[in-house]
Amino acid sequence: LYVLIPCPRLSEGLSYSTAYYDRNHRLLRLTLTGDDKYRLHLPLTQIAPVMIDATLLYEDRHFYRHPGVNPVSLARAAWQTFTDGRLIGGSTLTMQLARIRFNIDTRNISGKLMQILRALQIELFYSKDEILEAYLCLAPYGGNVEGVGAASLIYFGKSANRLTPAEALSLSVIPQSPSRRVPGHRALNEARDLLAQKWIATHAAGERDLLRMPLALHNISNLPFHAPHFVDALSPAPSRSGVVIT
């Protein structure tokens, strides 16, 4: 079976941003990729566990138990589509990764079937952690921001391993509607508050007040652009981590 089915590529062919820091670890600049995206590659170990938990809670609670598709969710989605006449979700996190990576139009039946087949294919060749890592590096977080690494730097001015629960909840709801759930938009706060209710039900109730506090999210225009001539003279990051400490 492995011989007959080619291994899908999850990250090959993609370019990544470079984050330049000064010696005190202050961000000097986050560069654009070759396709004009802000996209940082981060290993799963460099992403805050609270961000991972919030994403799975919101997107795919059964991620580690299904083979790439969730038959129950798909059946529910198919029934609602049949009765309401609208093609709706039911996608697992693996299916979402397949849609993103292979640019699949899932607004029709043929696209949905292709998404399912690609998700099953991905699960054949990659571990769950590898799939989750790829999703968190490629998911859309509004505009030309992709991946939690770039989103954390742009929106909160910190690396993804330092995200708080409230910040993680805010970021987790963006990929489902990246054009509407942008910083300062009511849709983002409403989605975050709904997720916070689920979070409180499964985590410490003492976090209730902290999760509901308003957050100050920055945007791309707030990205630092320090020492431009100095940064231009530096070589790009020599490794896939995309980080240069000057």
Side-chain angles (χ1 to χ4, degrees):
L1 184 59
Y2 279 76
V3 175
L4 296 176
I5 301 176
C7 178
R9 297 181 176 182
L10 295 186
S11 59
E12 292 85 348
L14 293 174
S15 59
Y16 290 92
S17 301
T18 299
Y20 292 93
Y21 292 89
D22 68 11
R23 61 183 176 181
N24 297 315
H25 211 75
R26 182 184 65 153
L27 182 65
L28 298 175
R29 188 196 301 180
L30 180 65
T31 66
L32 285 166
T33 63
D35 54 349
D36 291 327
K37 306 286 187 182
Y38 289 106
R39 182 196 301 127
L40 277 173
H41 180 268
L42 282 184
L44 201 60
T45 54
Q46 293 183 22
I47 300 174
V50 67
M51 180 66 202
I52 296 172
D53 292 345
T55 298
L56 293 179
L57 177 64
Y58 188 68
E59 296 286 2
D60 192 349
R61 289 179 295 172
H62 305 291
F63 172 69
Y64 281 99
R65 295 194 293 272
H66 63 63
V69 298
N70 187 327
V72 176
S73 296
L74 284 178
R76 186 186 303 115
W79 173 253
Q80 292 184 359
T81 299
F82 176 77
T83 55
D84 297 341
R86 295 181 299 107
L87 190 64
I88 63 170
S91 297
T92 63
L93 189 146
T94 311
M95 290 172 63
Q96 293 179 53
L97 174 61
R99 175 182 54 78
I100 295 168
R101 187 63 185 95
F102 302 107
N103 195 28
I104 301 172
D105 184 355
T106 58
R107 293 172 295 181
N108 52 65
I109 297 298
S110 61
K112 202 70 179 176
L113 290 175
M114 178 58 68
Q115 183 188 27
I116 291 171
L117 291 174
R118 280 293 195 180
L120 294 172
Q121 182 190 31
I122 288 172
E123 293 266 354
L124 276 176
F125 290 94
Y126 296 95
S127 69
K128 287 290 187 178
D129 283 352
E130 288 174 324
I131 295 169
L132 180 58
E133 178 182 296
Y135 173 82
L136 289 171
C137 286
L138 300 177
Y141 285 91
N144 61 340
V145 181
E146 292 187 359
V148 67
S152 181
L153 275 181
I154 291 170
Y155 297 140
F156 296 112
K158 60 171 64 175
S159 55
N161 63 348
R162 296 174 50 227
L163 288 168
T164 67
E167 293 165 345
L169 292 179
S170 295
L171 289 183
S172 296
V173 301
I174 295 178
Q176 197 174 95
S177 185
S179 61
R180 293 183 62 246
R181 296 172 184 173
V182 295
H185 199 287
R186 186 175 66 181
L188 174 59
N189 295 330
E190 290 175 347
R192 186 197 73 163
D193 290 344
L194 288 175
L195 180 58
Q197 294 178 18
K198 295 181 180 180
W199 182 270
I200 292 169
T202 56
H203 294 74
E207 297 178 354
R208 185 186 307 271
D209 293 336
L210 291 175
L211 293 178
R212 291 179 176 174
M213 290 178 62
L215 291 176
L217 277 78
H218 306 295
N219 54 47
I220 292 175
S221 64
N222 299 125
L223 268 177
F225 194 76
H226 302 306
H229 298 295
F230 170 67
V231 172
D232 286 342
L234 298 173
S235 299
S239 67
R240 202 178 175 201
S241 66
V243 173
V244 173
I245 308 297
T246 69

